[in-house]
Amino acid sequence: MLDKIKESVSDVISGGKGRSNDGPQAGTRAEKRVKASSAGDSGRDAADEPESNLYECPSCDSVFVAIDKETCSSCRTSVEKIE
């Protein structure tokens, strides 16, 4: 399950690159997001945006996407960064 979450988050972060085209709707939302961010870019580089990470709670198996996260929002246990 964790691998599937990592793959989904990676796909969202990369803007749908590397996805197979499984039909007319495949990748449509990600493609629109990439096009919209490019259109409203106003000269910013991707390097200007902070990089988010995956964090997992060992107690309740919750997974979080955040720039920096120390404790689980549900059970207040310390979270671990997923490499």
Side-chain angles (χ1 to χ4, degrees), residues 9-72:
V9 170
S10 177
D11 186 49
V12 169
I13 291 171
S14 69
K17 296 174 187 165
R19 266 176 106 174
S20 64
N21 189 359
D22 293 332
Q25 297 297 328
T28 303
R29 192 176 318 152
E31 290 168 7
K32 287 179 182 176
R33 187 180 315 119
V34 170
K35 287 178 185 175
S37 67
S38 298
D41 194 49
S42 67
R44 291 184 305 171
D45 281 331
D48 293 342
E49 297 180 22
E51 184 177 319
S52 55
N53 299 298
L54 283 177
Y55 296 89
E56 179 181 28
C57 175
S59 295
C60 65
D61 293 326
S62 295
V63 176
F64 303 94
V65 177
I67 295 169
D68 188 32
K69 184 116 177 118
E70 294 179 8
T71 58
C72 176

